[in-house]
Amino acid sequence: MDSHGSFDVFVQECPSREIMQRLGDKWTPLVLLALAGGPQRFSALRQRVGAVTPKVLTNTLRNLERDGLVQRTVYAQVPVRVDYELTDLGRGILEPMEILRLWSEEHVPKVLAARERFDARS
C-alpha cells in the first residue's frame, strides 16, 4: 500500500500481491470455475477439477474460504454433508476467470506450436 492508501501488486508487502498469487496458483482458477454452477460437495468438486489430491483441494478450499471467496456449509445429518459454494465476492471473480479459460482453450494450438518451435531450437 502506498502513502495514499491505494494498493499495488508490484509492491512486495502489499496484500493485493498475495491475492493475485492466490488467484494464479495451480488449483484456484479450476476450483472457482468448477463452483460457478452452484454448490458442490467435496467429492464432486474433486472429480470435476481432476488430478487434485484431497489434501491440496482441502488447503485450496480453506484458503478461498479464508479470503471470503468460498463458503463452506455443514449440514447436520448422517453422514455429515458439506457443501462448498462461491460467495458474492467469489462470483465477482468469475468473469475474469471465464475470460482466461476461454483464451486458454482458444489458443491451445498456437501455444503448442510455439512450444514445439522453442523445443526444436534447444
Side-chain angles (χ1 to χ4, degrees), residues 12-119:
Q12 188 172 356
E13 300 81 25
C14 185
S16 64
R17 187 177 186 125
E18 182 182 340
I19 295 167
M20 181 86 131
Q21 289 169 336
R22 168 103 59 243
L23 294 173
D25 79 12
K26 183 175 182 177
W27 299 108
T28 294
L30 294 172
V31 169
L32 293 172
L33 288 168
L35 288 172
Q40 291 191 41
R41 296 177 79 167
F42 185 89
S43 57
L45 186 56
R46 183 168 177 239
Q47 184 176 7
R48 175 80 172 124
V49 171
V52 62
T53 65
K55 179 181 177 181
V56 171
L57 181 55
T58 296
N59 288 338
T60 300
L61 288 165
R62 277 193 188 129
N63 288 331
L64 292 172
E65 184 180 8
R66 181 174 182 248
D67 290 345
L69 301 174
V70 168
Q71 178 179 327
R72 179 179 184 264
T73 304
V74 179
Y75 297 92
Q77 62 188 51
V78 179
V80 174
R81 178 177 148 202
V82 179
D83 283 349
Y84 296 90
E85 64 183 309
L86 296 174
T87 61
D88 288 341
L89 184 61
R91 282 188 290 280
I93 193 68
L94 285 179
E95 185 177 346
M97 286 291 170
E98 183 66 12
I99 290 168
L100 286 171
R101 181 190 70 80
L102 292 171
W103 186 94
S104 298
E105 292 173 355
E106 180 181 333
H107 291 88
V108 168
K110 292 177 185 175
V111 171
L112 294 177
R115 287 179 184 175
E116 285 180 23
R117 287 191 303 274
F118 180 89
D119 291 347

